[in-house]
Amino acid sequence: MIYDARSLEPDQIFETDLLIIGAGPAGITIAQKFAGTSIRVTLLESGGDGYNYDAQDLNRGAITGIHAEPLDASRLRLFGGTSNHWAGWCRPFEREDFEVREDWPESGWPISLDDLKPFYDKATKICQLASKNFDDLDFWQSQPGGSHLNKLNTNNTRLLSAIFQISPPTRFGETYRKDLEQAKNITVLLNATALELLKSNDSSINSSIKKISGALVSTLDNKQFTVNARATVTAVGGVETSRLLLLSNKVHPQGAGNEYDLVGRYFMDHPWLPSISNLRFQQAGTNWPLYFDKTKVANTRVFGTLTPAPELKKSKKIGGFRLWLQPTRTSTAGLDSARTIIRSLKQGQLADDLGDHIANLYADADIITDAAYKTLFQVRDSPFAHKSIPSDPYLGAFIDLNIEQRPNSESRLTLDSPLDAFGQRQIKLDWRLHDTDWHTAKTALNTVAQEFGRINAGRVHIPSEFESNEPNWPPLITSSNHHMGGARMALDPKQGVVNSDCRVHSIENLYVAGSAVFPTSGYANPTLTIVALSLKLADHLYKVLS
Amino acid sequence: MIKQKPLHPSNHTNKSRRNFIRTSLGLYIALASRKTLAINSISTKKNENKLISILNKSSSINIGQAILILPKHELQLSNIAATVMYSLNLSSRSLNLITKKELSLQLKQQTVNDFDLGNIINVEGWIMGYTEAQLCVLAARIFMGPEKY
C-alpha cells in the first residue's frame, strides 16, 4: 500500500515491526524482501512520486575541500531515490577490496567477498543485469552480437580489464512499485521525512547498548507523526545517514551511534578526473568495441575498463582505480601546432613549417576554441565541441580516471548552521583527499601510458600537473556522486559505527543500509554493492524479527 | 777538457735517414688517420641518415626540439646513432643492408621493449620510449644543423 503522508491525520502514532527510512535502492530492496511475510514494514520516502523542488531543497548543504558536485544535485528525494538519475554502472568490489592491507591504513571490511557473493548474485537480478560473471569474456562472446568483444593484451601484472555491466538503468521506484503496492504487509508513506530517531523508554540510562523506539516524521506542511518500530533501518544514502544520526541527539548528545565521534567521518567518493588524458592511436581507425561501445549483449550493455592488478597496487602502495576510454574522431594536430608555435616563440624563433602549423590551427579552430573555453571556465562541456562525422575513423581516445580514495578521518560530514524547511541544521561536507590518492592517480596515468606504448596502441598525453610529486589536483577534479562512509563498518565500536550486520554498535535495534557503512571504497560504482549488502541485511533482519 | 768525438760520417747519414723515415712515417700515419676519420665520418653520417629515414620529418623535428630544451631528463644524447644501433643490435654493415621496412619493424620492437622496461620520457606531456625519442633528437640535429644544437 502506498499513501501520501500529507493526507494522514497529524499526531498519530503508527506501530510497525520494521521501519525503513528512505525509498532508494537500499530501502526498496529490503522492503521488497519482506513482501508477503508476516512482518509489518513501513517504508518512508521524504519526496513524492515525482521531482519536487521543496523536497529537493532539503538536500542542500555546503561543500568545502576538494570540489564535489552540489549535494542537492547529486541526490534525489523522490520514490526510488537517487536511482532516478543513476547511470547504471555495475560491478562487484574486488576480493582485495574487502581484505586488510598492511600498507593501507584503516583498510579491510569485517566481512569478505565470500560472505557477500550469494547476495551479489541476487543483486545482479535486481539491477536487471544479464550475468553474475562479469569478467567471463567467453560468455559475452558467445552471445549474439558479442563475438567481436576482445580484451586488450595488457601486462596482467600491471593493468587488468574489468568488465562493467550497465543496468537499463533500474529505476527502483518505478520497477518495484507494484510489488510494494500489492504487499499487504508493506506500507509506503510518501512525502514523509524522518526528522530524528527517538530513544526508547526501554533504554536504560546506564546501559551502553540503547534501543530506539522509531522516528519522528513530518510532512513539508508540518503534519507530524511518530512511527514506532521493533527495528529501524536508515537507508537514506551516504550523506543523509550521517545527518540523521547527528540530528538524533536525544538518543545520544553527540548523535545516535556517535559515542566515539565517528559518525560523519571517513567520507569517501571516487575522485573523478574527466578526460584527463589523451591517447593518440598509432593507427587511425583503431577500434576496441569492448572499451568503446557499451555493446548490448544478452540485453545488457557491457563496458571494459582498465584497473590495477593487485601486484601493481602492492608494489606501488596505491589504491584501486578505473580508467575508461571515450574514442574521438577528431585530430589534435591543431593543439600540437599551437604548442609548437608557443614553444618556438618562447625561444625567440618562429616555428619551422609555420605554414603547416597555421593550416592545422585553422583546420582545428573549433577544437582549439573548445579546449581554450574548457580551460578558461574549468568546465567539462563547451558550446564549441567538435561535431565529428560518424564515418570518420577513430584517431584517439580521451581517458577518464576514477580512483579509490584512501580512508581519511578528516574527510567528514558535520552539521552546519543554516537550517532547512523543518528548521533542522543542514549538512556540511568537507571532502579531503590523502597524499596517497595523488600517488594513485599519477601511477594510474603513467601505467596506462606505459601499457598503451607497450602494446603499440599509441602514445598517451599526461597533463603537466602530474609531473609534481606533491598533490596538485587539476581544476577539473570532481566527485562521482558515489557518497560512501560516514557510518563505517568495523568489528570494534571505537573504529566503526556499525558492526558486520550493519547494526549500530551502541543501539540494539538500529541498522544502516547503503554505502554509508563502506569502510573502503574500491574503484567500482557502489550501487550493486549497496543492493547486495541490503539483501544481506534483509536476511539478518528477517531472522531477528521472526 | 773533453774533446767531442767527431761524428762518423756514417752516423751522420744514419741520423738523416732515421729522421727521414720518422718524418715520413709520421706523415703517413697522419694522412692515414685523417683518411680513417673521414671514412668514419662518412659512415656515421650514412648510418644517421638511414636511421632517421624512417621518421616523419616535421614531427620528429618538433619532438626532437622539445626534448632538447627539456630542463632535466635521463636520455642519453651523445653518440645517438651508435647508441640506437646498439639498442637495435645493428652494425653499420647490417644497417646498410636492411630495408626501411625492416628497420621500422626493429624500431617498433625496441619501442615495445622500452615501454615494457619503463625506459620512457615525458616530452611536453607525451610519454615516449627512449629509442624513438633519441631518433627524434638526431633528426632535429641533422635537419636543423649542428650549429643550432
Side-chain angles (χ1 to χ4, degrees):
Chain A
M1 293 164 287
I2 299 181
Y3 299 104
D4 187 334
R6 292 173 298 187
S7 63
L8 301 175
E9 286 297 313
D11 304 322
Q12 291 192 71
I13 297 176
F14 294 91
E15 298 290 337
T16 189
D17 293 316
L18 176 62
L19 168 63
I20 303 169
I21 304 170
I28 287 179
T29 299
I30 296 171
Q32 204 210 10
K33 278 289 284 180
F34 283 89
T37 67
S38 58
I39 294 164
R40 294 168 301 158
V41 176
T42 301
L43 175 62
L44 302 181
E45 170 49 49
S46 177
D49 261 327
Y51 190 91
N52 175 298
Y53 287 97
D54 293 333
Q56 193 59 24
D57 260 4
L58 298 169
N59 280 340
R60 281 183 187 275
I63 297 173
T64 55
I66 298 286
H67 173 265
E69 296 300 310
L71 295 177
D72 56 339
S74 56
R75 315 176 282 158
L76 291 176
R77 282 202 192 218
L78 66 147
F79 189 56
T82 303
S83 75
N84 286 298
H85 69 188
W86 180 38
W89 288 51
C90 288
R91 184 175 168 83
F93 277 24
E94 301 295 337
R95 180 168 293 281
E96 70 262 22
D97 291 335
F98 295 91
E99 293 167 351
V100 174
R101 283 180 58 176
E102 296 301 323
D103 56 348
W104 197 252
E106 283 138 338
S107 59
W109 292 46
I111 58 173
S112 68
L113 177 64
D114 292 332
D115 293 327
L116 215 47
K117 180 77 174 73
F119 303 103
Y120 266 133
D121 292 349
K122 289 173 188 161
T124 57
K125 280 189 182 164
I126 292 175
C127 294
Q128 300 171 292
L129 308 176
S131 171
K132 57 187 182 184
N133 299 315
F134 285 70
D135 289 329
D136 184 357
L137 196 61
D138 289 344
F139 169 77
W140 300 116
Q141 285 176 335
S142 69
Q143 300 300 308
S147 58
H148 64 311
L149 298 176
N150 287 301
K151 286 186 180 177
L152 290 172
N153 188 24
T154 53
N155 178 331
N156 61 14
T157 63
R158 292 181 193 144
L159 278 186
L160 303 173
S161 286
I163 298 178
F164 279 74
Q165 290 181 67
I166 316 290
S167 168
T170 307
R171 306 294 180 213
F172 278 72
E174 199 181 306
T175 309
Y176 299 109
R177 185 188 177 95
K178 207 166 233 175
D179 295 347
L180 300 176
E181 215 164 24
Q182 288 173 351
K184 287 181 180 155
N185 64 318
I186 296 176
T187 304
V188 179
L189 295 177
L190 300 177
N191 300 301
T193 302
L195 300 181
E196 62 176 316
L197 303 168
L198 300 172
K199 191 177 171 182
S200 165
N201 292 332
D202 295 351
S203 286
S204 150
I205 292 170
N206 297 324
S207 168
S208 60
I209 307 289
K210 302 176 185 67
K211 275 182 90 171
I212 59 165
S213 61
L216 177 66
V217 183
S218 181
T219 61
L220 272 169
D221 52 1
N222 281 324
K223 282 182 183 169
Q224 290 199 351
F225 55 94
T226 303
V227 182
N228 286 338
R230 289 163 59 203
T232 299
V233 177
T234 71
V236 289
V239 172
E240 208 62 14
T241 294
S242 292
R243 184 173 177 230
L244 183 58
L245 293 177
L246 292 171
L247 285 171
S248 302
N249 55 11
K250 290 188 190 104
V251 180
H252 185 276
Q254 306 306 319
N258 200 21
E259 287 76 7
Y260 295 101
D261 187 27
L262 287 170
V263 172
R265 290 191 183 271
Y266 298 98
F267 174 87
M268 299 171 288
D269 201 311
H270 289 130
W272 178 21
L273 294 157
S275 302
I276 190 66
S277 267
N278 176 14
L279 163 66
R280 188 182 300 178
F281 291 136
Q282 197 87 349
Q283 295 234 308
T286 295
N287 195 1
W288 301 328
L290 179 61
Y291 304 85
F292 288 178
D293 294 344
K294 294 187 181 135
T295 311
K296 201 161 191 176
V297 186
N299 266 334
T300 294
R301 288 177 300 148
V302 291
F303 191 49
T305 65
L306 294 166
T307 60
E311 292 91 334
L312 184 79
K313 282 163 70 175
K314 203 169 176 184
S315 66
K316 302 281 184 186
K317 295 184 168 63
I318 56 165
F321 59 77
R322 167 181 64 164
L323 295 146
W324 72 98
L325 305 172
Q326 298 182 61
T328 172
R329 301 174 199 275
T330 58
S331 130
T332 55
L335 291 173
D336 292 341
S337 288
R339 281 194 205 108
T340 304
I341 291 170
I342 291 166
R343 186 179 61 235
S344 300
L345 288 175
K346 276 184 184 168
Q347 289 178 273
Q349 299 164 0
L350 286 178
D352 296 299
D353 301 324
L354 188 61
D356 290 346
H357 290 308
I358 290 171
N360 287 340
L361 290 181
Y362 181 74
D364 292 343
D366 52 348
I367 294 164
I368 293 163
T369 315
D370 182 55
Y373 184 93
K374 285 176 180 168
T375 308
L376 201 61
F377 296 102
Q378 299 184 1
V379 291
R380 289 204 297 275
D381 301 307
S382 99
F384 305 100
H386 183 88
K387 305 280 184 297
S388 62
I389 302 161
S391 58
D392 285 348
Y394 290 133
L395 299 177
F398 291 106
I399 302 173
D400 277 39
L401 171 64
N402 254 169
I403 62 164
E404 174 183 9
Q405 177 181 355
R406 186 175 133 179
N408 179 354
S409 67
E410 294 307 311
S411 179
R412 66 186 296 199
L413 295 153
T414 51
L415 294 178
D416 205 0
S417 311
L419 305 177
D420 68 9
F422 293 113
Q424 291 194 297
R425 293 172 71 184
Q426 290 183 351
I427 198 76
K428 177 181 167 186
L429 166 62
D430 185 16
W431 188 29
R432 304 253 186 115
L433 299 181
H434 198 276
D435 287 0
T436 309
D437 303 326
W438 175 252
H439 189 46
T440 299
K442 198 173 157 170
T443 305
L445 295 179
N446 286 332
T447 306
V448 77
Q450 192 178 344
E451 279 302 290
F452 280 151
R454 196 187 64 78
I455 63 174
N456 209 30
R459 299 292 175 269
V460 169
H461 182 265
I462 299 176
S464 58
E465 286 94 336
F466 289 90
E467 284 169 32
S468 165
N469 287 324
E470 302 301 319
N472 183 23
W473 295 104
L476 280 176
I477 186 173
T478 189
S479 57
S480 304
N481 302 335
H482 300 164
H483 304 144
M484 296 168 281
R488 72 197 314 254
M489 189 194 294
L491 290 178
D492 182 353
K494 291 177 185 164
Q495 289 177 1
V497 177
V498 302
N499 66 12
S500 55
D501 290 324
C502 294
R503 181 178 67 78
V504 174
H505 277 292
S506 57
I507 301 170
E508 73 173 51
N509 61 345
L510 176 62
Y511 297 82
V512 178
S515 50
V517 304
F518 290 9
T520 58
S521 62
Y523 66 80
N525 301 45
T527 303
L528 190 73
T529 304
I530 291 172
V531 174
L533 265 179
S534 301
L535 290 168
K536 183 175 178 294
L537 173 56
D539 264 17
H540 175 77
L541 287 166
Y542 188 76
K543 283 176 202 155
V544 170
L545 295 170
S546 301
Chain B
M1 190 177 166
I2 300 168
K3 219 174 178 183
Q4 199 175 11
K5 198 179 171 183
L7 287 170
H8 191 277
S10 61
N11 278 350
H12 190 78
T13 318
N14 279 352
K15 192 185 176 194
S16 303
R17 194 179 295 146
R18 251 197 317 272
N19 280 345
F20 173 75
I21 291 168
R22 195 180 288 154
T23 311
S24 307
L25 201 60
L27 197 63
Y28 174 78
I29 289 168
L31 285 171
S33 304
R34 279 191 65 181
K35 196 177 172 187
T36 310
L37 281 173
I39 290 167
N40 278 347
S41 173
I42 290 166
S43 166
T44 305
K45 208 93 198 131
K46 201 174 167 189
N47 290 344
E48 288 176 345
N49 285 334
K50 180 74 181 268
L51 286 171
I52 63 168
S53 66
I54 55 174
L55 303 179
N56 173 294
K57 184 179 169 185
S58 79
S59 303
S60 54
I61 291 174
N62 278 333
I63 297 167
Q65 283 179 306
I67 294 170
L68 284 163
I69 58 168
L70 282 180
K72 56 173 185 177
H73 59 79
E74 291 175 355
L75 200 62
Q76 157 77 343
L77 292 182
S78 57
N79 299 323
I80 288 180
T83 310
V84 171
M85 284 165 64
Y86 181 79
S87 302
L88 300 181
N89 203 13
L90 287 172
S91 64
S92 290
R93 189 178 145 76
S94 52
L95 177 64
N96 196 28
L97 289 174
I98 62 171
T99 62
K100 278 189 188 181
K101 197 177 172 185
E102 288 165 335
L103 181 57
S104 290
L105 279 174
Q106 276 192 255
L107 175 64
K108 201 166 153 183
Q109 185 51 50
Q110 182 53 32
T111 305
V112 167
N113 294 343
D114 281 345
F115 275 103
D116 194 32
L117 297 170
N119 293 333
I120 50 180
I121 181 172
N122 182 325
V123 185
E124 291 190 349
W126 290 100
I127 308 300
M128 300 181 67
Y130 274 180
T131 310
E132 59 183 358
Q134 284 168 320
L135 282 182
C136 289
V137 171
L138 185 62
R141 281 177 176 163
I142 290 173
F143 290 127
M144 304 304 293
E147 67 283 354
K148 207 161 179 181
Y149 298 107

